[in-house]
Amino acid sequence: MSRINKNVILALLTLTSSAFLLFQLYYYKHYLSAKNGAGLSKSKGSRIGFDGTQWRTVKKFIMLTSSQNVPVFLIDPLILELINKNFEQVKNASHGSASECKFFCVPRDFTAFALQYHLWKNEESWFRIAENMGFQCLKFESKDPRLDGIDSLSGTDIPLHYICTLASHAVHLVVFHERSGNYLWHGHLRLKGHIDRKFVPFRKLQFGRYPGAFDRPELQQVTIDGLEVLIPKDPMHFLEEIPHSRFIECRYKEARAFFQQYLDDNTVEAMAFRKSAKELMQLAAKTLKKLGVRFWLSSGTCLGWYRQCGIIPYSKDVDLGIFIQDYKSDIISAFQDAGLPLKHKFGKVEDSLELSFQGKDDVKLDIFFFYEETDYMWNGGTQAKTGKKFKYLFPKFTLCWTEFVDMKVRVPCETIEYIEANYGKTWKVPVRTWDWKRSPHNVQPNGVWPISEWDEVIQLY
């Protein structure tokens, strides 16, 4: 019995020793060697975080687009913000030089890239190759909104978005289209009934909740986490555009219906006015852009855009709105330097400011400055003969982009409320006689300027 016990004990000791030896080998392989050889592993390419799903997905996507000569550029807000904070470091990085994954390994559901559609030559073959490389892709397309006013072309579909997944990460490819005015536009990403809502977390998408418009970015190639990618040369400007990029399309079908009911004025005088008004607006936009001043289409100019996608020929002027907080003291001199002399100035910066400049062929540029109260916004008016003040009330509004006379310009996002405040529910019916002191639905008396202040608040030229 004693002998048997010794054999059992010996066997147990042998098993224990073997198990301990195996544990030591495992510990050394997976912990000590990784820890002690960290410096060497970097030189061999096993850099920190570079085996992550996100980085590998982005790498494979860049390989795919490069092989097909598809010039995509990075627009992901989170990554661009990180790049902007470390811009000098990124610009000086060389291919494969990164020792740590700092950008493409940041936890997120999507990485967003963009593509200018006119540069995409082989869309269908790209889509097939992507699937052959293991990507699962969804394509989102819709009718080109610019063709809504042309019956024969209104059914033409254009690609708007691609979403491609690999493993647990997704790449969102936003398709930008060129528009008149040298800017880029992307469409709304609409989920149709047959699309699997669980394919990706669509609600987390940074682009596609609504159509968007962006300045055409100048691009530069940089190395990020060892990968060569194109990014906007001015990342901060692109980032600042994103929250204010919402785009409203002109209502082409409604405009066509309007002209079926009310014939368009194509007289020589009307056509000459439209041409002069367009040139005046383009010059005003260029001048205000140099000053860094936001503006939007207001009054009759806004009504013409919304109702008939054009300039109202009998309006005889161009109307723009500017928030008073965006006023700059050199705005008058800037317009005069641009060849637009001041015609009149009413009000003060702190109350009811209004400027009017004289364009060519007796076409005026009227600029109304808007003031914000707790529950509404307003702009002022002054009667030169009497010094009476008037106030035009508007519900609060935000600004969106649109296209008008071959330009990217702002309009109130809440357009119908804005127009109805000024013109009432009957705004669809043309009105040729308009008294700015009585006709607007939102006008109300606002007192009288003191005679002692007339020289300051009423300046006629």
Side-chain angles (χ1 to χ4, degrees), residues 182-366:
N182 196 34
Y183 70 96
L184 302 178
W185 169 90
H186 72 75
H188 185 190
L189 194 160
R190 297 182 186 274
L191 295 180
K192 297 181 179 179
H194 68 278
I195 292 177
D196 181 8
R197 263 61 174 177
K198 297 180 181 179
F199 183 72
V200 290
F202 289 102
R203 291 185 179 182
K204 295 184 179 181
L205 286 173
Q206 297 284 342
F207 300 89
R209 292 190 182 92
Y210 41 73
F214 292 82
D215 293 338
R216 184 190 299 276
E218 186 178 352
L219 303 177
Q220 67 174 339
Q221 184 169 290
V222 295
T223 299
I224 304 172
D225 293 339
L227 304 176
E228 292 184 1
V229 296
L230 289 172
I231 66 169
K233 197 168 186 178
D234 186 351
M236 195 63 217
H237 176 70
F238 189 87
L239 288 168
E240 290 172 347
E241 286 187 284
I242 293 174
H244 309 290
S245 62
R246 185 178 177 184
F247 184 92
I248 300 176
E249 199 70 56
C250 176
R251 305 182 325 139
Y252 299 106
K253 291 181 179 178
E254 289 80 357
R256 191 171 56 192
F258 173 83
F259 286 120
Q260 288 175 350
Q261 185 173 4
Y262 306 100
L263 294 179
D264 194 7
D265 186 349
N266 289 319
T267 61
V268 174
E269 294 78 9
M271 294 176 67
F273 170 75
R274 289 192 186 99
K275 180 176 182 295
S276 297
K278 177 179 177 179
E279 292 173 353
L280 178 59
M281 189 177 301
Q282 291 174 336
L283 181 56
K286 183 179 179 180
T287 304
L288 291 171
K289 185 175 182 179
K290 285 182 179 179
L291 292 171
V293 174
R294 294 177 299 169
F295 73 92
W296 65 91
L297 306 183
S298 191
S299 302
T301 305
C302 184
L303 175 63
W305 162 76
Y306 192 71
R307 187 176 67 189
Q308 56 210 67
C309 294
I311 296 170
I312 300 175
Y314 52 82
S315 60
K316 303 305 178 187
D317 57 18
V318 171
D319 302 311
L320 303 180
I322 294 176
F323 291 123
I324 194 62
Q325 60 265 30
D326 292 333
Y327 171 82
K328 293 190 176 180
S329 59
D330 56 348
I331 191 169
I332 294 177
S333 60
F335 274 102
Q336 290 176 328
D337 291 343
L340 299 175
L342 184 68
K343 185 176 179 65
H344 67 243
K345 171 183 174 291
F346 292 139
K348 303 178 181 180
V349 173
E350 61 270 20
D351 183 8
S352 304
L353 183 64
E354 175 190 345
L355 301 176
S356 182
F357 297 91
Q358 185 63 60
K360 295 190 302 181
D361 302 321
D362 292 328
V363 181
K364 282 194 305 145
L365 170 67
D366 291 331

Side-chain angles (χ1 to χ4, degrees), residues 15-35:
L15 287 171
T16 302
S17 299
S18 300
F20 182 72
L21 179 61
L22 290 172
F23 173 78
Q24 285 182 311
L25 291 171
Y26 178 85
Y27 182 79
Y28 177 81
K29 179 179 179 180
H30 290 277
Y31 293 94
L32 292 181
S33 62
K35 183 177 180 181

